[in-house]
């Protein structure tokens, strides 16, 4: 039998090895045939990432305008631009904002942010356009007070159909940088926004030293063939979208660019070419067949592995469990307890319950063996319910059971459990029963499982001869 099982295992292993080798070969062939498609896929991914960034940017601008609309509506129902309630609203809006400031301006061009000071913006293009009825997003300008690059949104304030001023919000370009900083290229690229003149609306780490994106390309990059810096500028100026290639330290890089739809802004996605395959040929039918074949092979391997695991798992389970009660059998319980005592359990205190069902033979003779089996199963369930999952419960044989209570926090627990079991009066289909229990301690009553079990058995024997339905500690016999 052992020889047949060994032979079957060898055949099974050989089949798995062959399938793995076929999978590896097919994967290599599939990889070689499909490598070329990855360049076009990468371009599509870059476009998708760029489109998503454009959607995020437009959504951010819409949110900014919604906030300004709230201010404008509030101003339209109050007495004037300098109204005290308007100032309080602006103070709340601007409190704690690092990258933004919201204010309102009258037709005279003086803007108030609720801080008590005012600023003349009458000469700014965004203000002049706003009081003419436009909703304006400015290009990047430098804040005269802080020296930081900002973008200003402005909308008209109307009262009874007449424009009385403008609601304006300035945002540090850092807010756009933060929005786009979660690059989808996982450290292999970046996303940014620039104006047609190359001025960066949002940037990324390393671009601080350059006034424009074009300056960075000109000073750090190399251009080959038709991909020149002037051709790139021309395509951006004409509001085109597409892929542009350049080199740095002889390493190829990609830029995908697309108009944002706001002012003359262009969304830029940069990716290092080392992270993608540059080939562009389509997958042929043979590669597709190999791909399916590869998947099927892995499926077969997986099915075989699962079958092996199930087979040996069931066999191991059957070898460990008593078929009637599903408790551990006495041999596996012995092994588990001895292993525990040799490791972490050696320095802990444990208790061993050795118990049986009083007059079990009478139950079998009176009610039949099937009822006797029901009683045994019921007692097993009672034990499982009474003790912890970490405790070891086993059917020793016949109507005898062993419970090994591990790592006892208190000796009182043992007495409580024993009394609980002795109070049981029925099991199975309501058959009257009682339990007798012998208890021994580790390590005081023995330093091995076998020794402790023998002493628990002696305590059980004394219990049976002193009235049954009770428990006895081996230590009390001494």
């Amino acid at each position: 039998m052992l020889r047949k099982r060994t032979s079957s295992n060898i055949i099974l292993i050989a089949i798995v090895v062959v399938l793995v080798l076929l999978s590896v070969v097919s994967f290599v062939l599939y990889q070689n045939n499909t490598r070329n498609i990855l360049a076009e896929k990468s371009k599509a991914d870059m476009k998708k990432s760029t489109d998503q960034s454009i959607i995020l940017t437009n959504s951010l601008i819409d949110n900014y305008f919604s906030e300004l609309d709230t201010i404008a509506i509030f101003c339209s129902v109050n007495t004037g631009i300098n109204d005290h309630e308007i100032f309080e609203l602006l103070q709340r809006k601007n409190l704690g904002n690092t990258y933004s400031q919201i204010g309102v301006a009258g037709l005279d061009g003086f803007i108030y942010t609720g801080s008590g000071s005012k600023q003349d913006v009458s000469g700014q293009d965004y203000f002049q356009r706003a009081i003419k009825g436009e909703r304006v997003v400015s290009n990047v300008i430098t804040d005269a007070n802080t020296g930081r690059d900002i973008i200003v949104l402005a909308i008209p304030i109307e009262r009874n159909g007449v424009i009385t001023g403008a609601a304006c919000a300035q945002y540090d370009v850092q807010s756009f940088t933060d929005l786009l900083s979660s690059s989808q290229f996982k450290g292999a690229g970046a996303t940014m926004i620039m104006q047609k003149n190359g001025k960066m609306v949002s940037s990324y780490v390393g671009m601080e030293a350059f006034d424009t994106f074009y300056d960075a390309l000109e000073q750090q990059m190399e251009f080959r063939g038709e991909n020149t810096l002037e051709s790139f500028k021309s395509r951006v100026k004409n509001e085109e979208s597409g892929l542009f290639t350049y080199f740095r330290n002889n390493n190829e890089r990609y830029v995908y660019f697309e108009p944002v739809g706001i002012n003359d802004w262009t969304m830029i996605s940069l990716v290092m070419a080392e992270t993608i395959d540059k080939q562009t040929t389509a997958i042929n039918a043979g590669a597709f067949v190999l791909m399916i074949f590869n998947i099927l092979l892995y499926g077969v391997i997986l099915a075989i592995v699962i079958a092996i695991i199930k087979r040996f798992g069931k066999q191991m389970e059957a070898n460990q469990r008593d078929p009637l009660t599903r408790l551990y059998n006495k041999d596996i319980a012995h092994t588990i307890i001895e292993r525990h005592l040799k490791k972490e359990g050696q320095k802990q205190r444990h208790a061993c319950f050795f118990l049986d069902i009083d007059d079990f033979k009478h139950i079998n003779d009176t009610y039949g063996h099937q009822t006797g089996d029901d009683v045994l199963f019921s007692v097993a369930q009672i034990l499982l319910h009474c003790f912890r999952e970490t405790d070891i419960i086993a059917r020793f044989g016949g109507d005898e059971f062993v419970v090994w209570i591990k790592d006892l926090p208190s000796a009182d627990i043992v007495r409580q459990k024993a009394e609980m079991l002795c109070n049981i009066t029925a099991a199975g289909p309501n058959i009257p029963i009682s339990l007798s229990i012998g208890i021994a301690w580790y390590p005081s009553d023995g330093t091995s499982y076998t020794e402790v079990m023998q002493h628990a058995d002696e305590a059980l024997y004394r219990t049976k001869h002193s009235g049954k339905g009770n428990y006895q500690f081996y230590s009390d016999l001494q």
Side-chain angles (χ1 to χ4, degrees):
M1 179 66 72
L2 179 60
R3 184 174 300 174
K4 288 183 178 180
R5 185 177 300 172
T6 302
S7 177
S8 298
N9 290 340
I10 292 174
I11 294 173
L12 185 60
I13 293 171
I15 292 173
V16 172
V17 170
V18 170
L19 290 174
V20 170
L21 289 175
L22 288 174
S23 297
V24 171
V25 171
S26 64
F27 176 77
V28 171
L29 294 174
Y30 169 74
Q31 186 181 45
N32 289 336
N33 281 284
T34 58
R35 184 175 297 143
N36 295 335
I37 201 65
L38 296 179
E40 285 299 316
K41 183 180 182 299
S42 298
K43 180 179 177 181
D45 289 343
M46 292 178 71
K47 184 181 186 310
K48 180 180 178 181
S49 174
T50 304
D51 290 342
Q52 290 175 344
S53 298
I54 290 173
I55 291 172
L56 284 173
T57 302
N58 280 279
S59 177
L60 183 65
I61 294 296
D62 289 342
N63 289 338
Y64 288 163
F65 271 129
S66 294
E67 199 167 23
L68 280 181
D69 286 333
T70 302
I71 299 295
I73 292 171
F74 187 85
C75 291
S76 68
V77 298
N78 282 275
T79 56
I81 297 301
N82 300 326
D83 186 88
H84 178 69
E85 291 184 356
I86 297 176
F87 275 21
E88 288 185 346
L89 176 62
L90 294 175
Q91 286 176 341
R92 291 196 301 270
K93 289 286 187 182
N94 293 326
L95 182 64
N97 285 341
T98 305
Y99 296 141
S100 67
Q101 285 290 310
I102 299 176
V104 295
L107 294 176
D108 58 359
F110 284 98
I111 189 168
Y112 300 84
T113 61
S115 63
S117 61
K118 61 182 180 180
Q119 180 182 354
D120 185 6
V121 295
S122 59
Q124 296 291 343
D125 175 70
Y126 62 82
F127 173 76
Q128 292 297 327
R129 291 168 61 190
I131 62 175
K132 292 178 182 178
E134 293 186 46
R135 297 169 70 87
V136 183
V137 180
S138 76
N139 277 329
V140 177
I141 58 178
T142 301
D143 189 310
N145 296 323
T146 64
R148 296 190 303 186
D149 286 341
I150 61 171
I151 294 166
V152 179
L153 278 69
I155 64 172
I157 298 174
E158 296 183 20
R159 184 179 292 110
N160 299 324
V162 178
I163 295 176
T164 59
C168 305
Q170 70 174 39
Y171 295 92
D172 196 303
V173 296
Q174 185 64 39
S175 62
F176 291 87
T177 298
D178 291 345
L179 177 73
L180 302 175
S181 63
S182 57
S183 170
Q184 300 186 33
F185 301 112
K186 299 179 180 179
T191 304
M192 57 174 285
I193 303 172
M194 74 171 188
Q195 299 169 182
K196 283 185 179 180
N197 61 6
K199 186 75 173 179
M200 289 171 281
V201 178
S202 73
S203 185
Y204 62 94
V205 176
M207 297 295 291
E208 300 87 355
F210 305 99
D211 292 331
T212 69
F213 180 64
Y214 296 140
D215 291 339
L217 290 177
E218 186 173 20
Q219 296 178 36
Q220 291 188 317
M221 310 304 172
E222 175 188 355
F223 305 94
R224 300 177 184 176
E226 61 184 15
N227 288 308
T228 65
L229 179 59
E230 291 305 315
S231 69
F232 178 62
K233 289 181 179 180
S234 176
R235 295 175 70 183
V236 171
K237 183 178 179 180
N238 294 332
E239 299 185 353
E240 297 179 20
S241 61
L243 195 67
F244 180 78
T245 306
Y246 61 95
F247 294 82
R248 183 178 184 183
N249 298 328
N250 213 36
N251 292 320
E252 190 175 15
R253 302 189 177 199
Y254 295 135
V255 172
Y256 188 87
F257 56 98
E258 186 174 337
V260 176
I262 300 173
N263 296 343
D264 63 349
W265 296 358
T266 298
M267 187 70 66
I268 302 290
S269 292
L270 304 96
V271 177
M272 297 177 63
E274 297 97 299
T275 62
I276 56 179
D277 198 309
K278 297 176 290 183
Q279 305 301 319
T280 57
T281 58
I283 302 174
N284 56 43
F288 180 78
V289 171
L290 286 174
M291 179 183 68
I292 299 300
F293 181 62
N294 186 59
I295 293 172
L296 291 174
L297 284 177
Y298 281 117
V300 170
I301 294 172
L302 181 62
I304 291 174
V305 171
I306 291 174
I308 293 172
I309 292 173
K310 285 185 176 180
R311 176 186 173 187
F312 285 97
K314 289 180 179 179
Q315 184 175 350
M316 183 176 295
E317 179 74 11
N319 291 336
Q320 291 181 347
R321 299 286 178 175
D322 171 63
L324 174 61
T325 62
R326 305 308 300 159
L327 299 178
Y328 287 124
N329 60 44
K330 67 177 182 179
D331 293 329
I332 195 64
H334 184 197
T335 301
I336 294 173
I337 294 169
E338 287 286 11
R339 186 184 300 129
H340 178 67
L341 292 179
K342 290 179 181 178
K343 295 181 180 179
E344 66 272 17
Q346 188 174 18
K347 298 181 179 179
Q348 303 296 326
R349 191 182 189 191
H350 317 287
C352 178
F353 279 34
F354 193 38
L355 59 97
D356 74 358
I357 303 170
D358 296 326
D359 302 317
F360 183 72
K361 183 178 183 303
H362 175 72
I363 294 174
N364 272 336
D365 293 341
T366 304
Y367 301 99
H369 289 281
Q370 180 59 55
T371 299
D373 288 347
D374 293 341
V375 169
L376 289 171
F377 182 82
S378 178
V379 170
Q381 294 303 304
I382 291 171
L383 294 176
L384 290 171
H385 179 75
C386 182
F387 294 92
R388 302 169 299 179
E389 288 185 359
T390 54
D391 297 329
I392 300 166
I393 306 171
R395 183 184 179 192
F396 196 78
D399 62 324
E400 296 176 329
F401 298 86
V402 174
V403 180
W404 187 273
I405 307 177
K406 296 165 57 178
D407 309 326
L408 280 169
S410 169
D412 291 338
I413 293 176
V414 173
R415 193 175 298 276
Q416 292 170 7
K417 296 293 185 183
E419 290 176 354
M420 183 185 303
L421 292 176
C422 288
N423 287 329
I424 294 170
T425 59
N430 203 26
I431 303 300
I433 68 164
S434 64
L435 299 176
S436 294
I437 308 170
I439 305 171
W441 300 98
Y442 174 94
S444 58
D445 293 336
T447 57
S448 70
Y449 167 73
T450 301
E451 188 177 4
V452 173
M453 265 295 302
Q454 288 175 349
H455 291 160
D457 188 19
E458 291 180 31
L460 173 62
Y461 179 82
R462 184 67 60 88
T463 302
K464 301 288 281 187
H465 284 77
S466 62
K468 303 180 182 180
N470 208 337
Y471 63 93
Q472 183 77 47
F473 288 94
Y474 174 77
S475 55
D476 294 340
L477 306 181
Q478 305 307 306

